[in-house]
Amino acid sequence: MISPTLFNVTTIFYMASTLAFFAYLAGRNKNIGLGGVALAWAGFAIHTVATGLRWKESYDIGMGHAPLSNLYESVVFFAWSIVLIFGLIDAKYKYRVIGAFVMPFALLAMAWGQLYLPTDINPLMPALQSNWLLYHVLTCFLGYAAFAVACGVSIMYLIKAKSEERGTDAAGGIVSQFPPTKVLDELNYKAIMIGFPLLTLGIITGAAWANYAWGTYWSWDPKETWSLIVWFIYAAFLHARFTKGWVGKRAAWISIVGFAATIFCYLGVNLLLSGLHSYGGI
Amino acid sequence: MSTASPSILTKIQDFLASLRLTMALLLILAIVSIIGTVIPQGQLAPEYLAAIGGEQGNRYKLYSMLGFFNMYYSWWFVGLLSLLSLNLTACSIKRLPGVWRVAFKPDGLLTDSVERSATVCHKLPAAEALSLKEIAVRLRSTWGTASDIEHEGTRHLFVQRRPWNRLAAYVVHASIILIFAGAIIGNLFGFKGFVNIPEGGSAGTYLDKKGGEKPLGFTITCDQFTVTYYDAPGGGQSQMPKEFKSILTLTENGREVPGYKHARVIVNEPLTYRGITFYQSSYGSSGSHTFKAGDPKGGKEVTLTLDSQSSATLPDGSRIRVLESVQDVSPFMQGLHGPAARIDLTPGEGHQHLTVVAFANHPELNRQQAKENGGMVIDYLGGEERPYTGLQVNKDPGVWVVWIGCILMCLALYVAFFMPHQRIWVRQDKDGIVIAGHTTRGQETFRTTMEELLVTIRVNPGKEEQQS
């Protein structure tokens, strides 16, 4: 079993990347920013290998299934998705500073999983033995990750907008490093443009699977309902940009509230409410 | 009156078609949906009363009146969803004609207003640009044939890509209505029910949601039901179920249905026949047991047979119910052998109920127990427990409409976000060439495309110098 060690190494890389981005935020040294991205990608590569190994190891002990079946595995996959979406957006738009607001989410997820959650590989109960598990979890978590990136960008937007209002933006502080509000607004929208179709697919694959397993595509189970709540919020976000009075700060707030609802949908429902999606180990 | 009423009508129409209403509805739906995730849905009244309490159940009455216990089907929640559908429809009807004109009936003129709203706009002095005819040739290879219009003495070229992108948002809206329609069809023409079949037994009916017995139209036999478990880490089997499996055979009009003999149903692999689908849902065991009850002082004896789920009354007024049974008791009780049943015995008024074991091969023990508790002697004559399979029975003729809606929604979202409508206008006037471009999404990439296009229509400056 090498994968547990590799997951620890991944966590260390994400921590180093986060610290590098913080340093970049403070010192504006381009090489440090590049270092942050390089560390994130390196961590991502190790993370991918570790996930593949865990998958293989589950077959070795006779339980063979994709590592997406309990809370620990999902939280680790969430971190992987966040780094992937961040990496892609960084590669396309090259606003390094965003890393300081997005990598902490990945680090937090990884650290929580590695330090506090049971990491055992468990056999798959009959209801989860389906190919839909892979499609459903994959689409949902990539969507969640895009929303995490959008949330990070929205927080930057609110900080930047406040500093612009105060007129302190030109003073050369950390905030002056941020991309202009117009760019942040655009990035927020782009991240949600990636996340929303993925969430839609996630809900649909979940419905298709439920129909296949139980004969009901929608039963207003708390998890289903919360995913729909998240969907409503981001649908509102997408319409906000064409609606007077809903552009700018308000849109940024919708994005932040949307991510809070996403996290509740992912964790709150399982830890606080009862329903069909029970994760083992907690 | 006659002048006021149309304006009110217009106001209502505008309100129904407004984006502000969309925003309000989406956010209200998001907030009120939370209620049903906090209050468990579809439980029985006593459970709610116990959980909520309040002064004489006043809170219960209020919640009940607001439909909080089944809120996703309450009049106001369904009302909100209907209003959203109305809003989507009104919005689409209002905007679609204009959008259609922009996409499919463009006038192709580079007017001042087009120039202002363009994503990119470049001006080239006449000397630096190719002729309009040459530009049209350059455009053809990557953008297709441009329309060439002469309007009030000025010539305009116009070419566009993916105009159908404009319809994508409306397809998303239509897909939502389609999904609702599918859900309604399923509710009207489908059913959900349940059937328990013991191993070796058959059923021709199912129980609907209200507990009524409905005919299936064919007979379903459970040939076998098995549960298999994962291996425990130290060898042997663990408590973790690996598979619940029913082997079913369908017969219709006394004949086996071809292809449905010994058909397998496991969780995630249902069986469908005549539009009715069977899902592996639960399991248990049931059977019947026979006892002989007699007075300890001799005299009258009765023999009675009861199902494992039901209870029976003995001649002395006490009631018995089977808790569990074994074919051979020796592994559990040293020195004893043969069948035995553990039963729950409830003597008449004023006595505590107790648990006794009735044996088949040890009548002396049965007599001793009767002496101890002062009741009748109960001898076990034997019985059998058979596993049964619990199947969810479903018919939903609307489900395909729902899936078509879902697929349309995904495709349309992809088109809306990632396949932008792009347009290019070129105008020749006395100062030179004006080229403008517009895209609905992905401005960065489009700007680069336009820069590249600009290079191809510019007269090569180096070449010009050589010529002069």
Side-chain angles (χ1 to χ4, degrees), chain A residues 124 127 129 189 209 212 215, chain B residues 37 72 230 242 268 279 394 441:
Chain A
L124 220 47
Q129 294 167 12
Y189 190 68
W209 185 10
Y212 213 59
Chain B
T37 67
Y72 302 109
Y230 281 101
K242 189 178 185 178
N268 278 311
Y279 302 85
N394 252 23
R441 309 252 181 235

Side-chain angles (χ1 to χ4, degrees), chain A residues 1-4 6-7 10 43-61 64-68 72-73 76-77 80 110 121 134 138:
Chain A
M1 294 262 203
I2 325 163
S3 69
L6 288 183
F7 281 121
T10 304
F44 180 79
I46 298 167
H47 198 157
T48 310
V49 171
T51 306
L53 276 175
R54 189 180 166 93
W55 200 334
K56 187 193 160 285
E57 284 160 8
S58 82
Y59 275 94
D60 294 343
I61 56 172
H65 60 79
L68 303 167
Y72 167 75
E73 289 173 338
V76 165
F77 184 67
W80 184 88
M110 246 1 240
I121 299 177
L134 190 64
L138 220 61

Side-chain angles (χ1 to χ4, degrees), chain A residues 62-63 65 92-93 122-130 132 182 186 189-190 192-194 196-197 200-201 204 207-223 225-226 228-233 235-246 254 264 269 273-274, chain B residues 19-20 22-27 29-31 33-34 36-38 41 72-73 77 81 84 88 172-173 176 179 182-184 186 192 230-231 238 240-244 266-270 279-280 392 394 396 398-399 402-403 405-407 409-410 413-414 417-418 441-445 447:
Chain A
M63 301 173 178
H65 60 79
K92 187 150 187 208
Y93 302 105
N122 298 315
L124 220 47
M125 57 191 232
L128 292 182
Q129 294 167 12
S130 168
W132 287 107
K182 203 173 161 245
E186 193 60 33
Y189 190 68
K190 285 206 161 105
I192 289 172
M193 246 165 52
I194 297 169
F196 189 74
T200 308
L201 262 178
I204 291 172
W209 185 10
N211 191 57
Y212 213 59
W214 300 302
T216 312
Y217 51 84
W218 196 262
S219 56
W220 295 103
D221 155 81
K223 191 82 163 184
T225 310
W226 270 95
L228 189 67
I229 290 170
V230 172
W231 194 86
F232 281 142
I233 295 173
F237 175 91
L238 292 171
H239 289 87
R241 118 170 334 222
F242 310 109
T243 317
K244 251 190 186 165
W246 281 93
I254 298 179
F264 191 83
V269 171
L273 308 172
S274 60
Chain B
L19 263 167
R20 279 166 177 278
T22 317
M23 287 295 287
L25 281 173
L26 287 172
L27 294 176
L29 276 167
I31 292 165
S33 294
I34 298 173
T37 67
V38 181
Q41 299 290 295
Y72 302 109
Y73 303 92
F77 193 79
L81 289 179
L84 183 69
L88 292 178
V172 174
H173 293 173
I176 293 172
I179 290 169
I184 292 168
K192 279 190 205 318
Y230 281 101
D231 293 335
S238 70
M240 179 86 181
K242 189 178 185 178
E243 188 185 67
F244 304 113
I266 62 171
V267 182
N268 278 311
E269 284 181 30
Y279 302 85
Q280 184 63 54
Q392 168 90 25
N394 252 23
D396 189 349
V399 76
V402 173
W403 297 145
C406 288
I407 291 167
M409 184 188 283
C410 291
L413 279 174
Y414 185 82
F417 291 150
F418 303 109
R441 309 252 181 235
Q443 306 197 341
E444 308 295 320
T445 331
R447 280 206 185 91

Side-chain angles (χ1 to χ4, degrees), chain B residues 445-457:
Chain B
T445 331
F446 185 65
R447 280 206 185 91
T448 322
T449 315
M450 286 296 284
E451 297 287 345
E452 286 162 8
L453 182 67
L454 205 63
V455 172
T456 67
I457 65 165

Side-chain angles (χ1 to χ4, degrees), chain A residues 8-198:
Chain A
N8 279 327
V9 174
T10 304
T11 315
I12 293 166
F13 268 80
Y14 290 167
M15 186 169 1
S17 165
T18 306
L19 291 175
F21 280 122
F22 285 163
Y24 175 62
L25 197 63
R28 298 188 230 174
N29 183 328
K30 272 195 176 166
N31 288 330
I32 293 180
L34 190 66
V37 174
L39 283 166
W41 277 118
F44 180 79
I46 298 167
H47 198 157
T48 310
V49 171
T51 306
L53 276 175
R54 189 180 166 93
W55 200 334
K56 187 193 160 285
E57 284 160 8
S58 82
Y59 275 94
D60 294 343
I61 56 172
M63 301 173 178
H65 60 79
L68 303 167
S69 71
N70 61 22
L71 185 57
Y72 167 75
E73 289 173 338
S74 76
V75 96
V76 165
F77 184 67
F78 187 30
W80 184 88
S81 311
I82 292 173
V83 180
L84 175 65
I85 301 274
F86 162 69
L88 292 177
I89 287 186
D90 178 77
K92 187 150 187 208
Y93 302 105
K94 306 234 161 32
Y95 289 107
R96 294 276 129 88
V97 135
I98 293 168
F101 288 82
V102 175
M103 282 309 287
F105 287 126
L107 174 62
L108 215 66
M110 246 1 240
W112 185 44
Q114 291 303 110
L115 296 177
Y116 296 105
L117 295 176
T119 61
D120 311 326
I121 299 177
N122 298 315
L124 220 47
M125 57 191 232
L128 292 182
Q129 294 167 12
S130 168
N131 283 335
W132 287 107
L133 174 68
L134 190 64
Y135 310 137
H136 177 57
V137 177
L138 220 61
T139 47
C140 283
F141 277 88
L142 284 170
Y144 292 178
F147 296 149
V149 173
C151 175
V153 171
S154 293
I155 294 170
M156 291 175 78
Y157 178 94
L158 291 176
I159 297 172
K160 181 82 175 180
K162 198 163 195 183
S163 111
E164 274 179 2
E165 274 170 24
R166 281 196 192 142
T168 53
D169 197 48
I174 286 173
V175 180
S176 65
Q177 277 286 80
F178 289 11
T181 47
K182 203 173 161 245
V183 173
L184 289 171
D185 184 55
E186 193 60 33
L187 285 174
N188 187 16
Y189 190 68
K190 285 206 161 105
I192 289 172
M193 246 165 52
I194 297 169
F196 189 74
L198 284 168

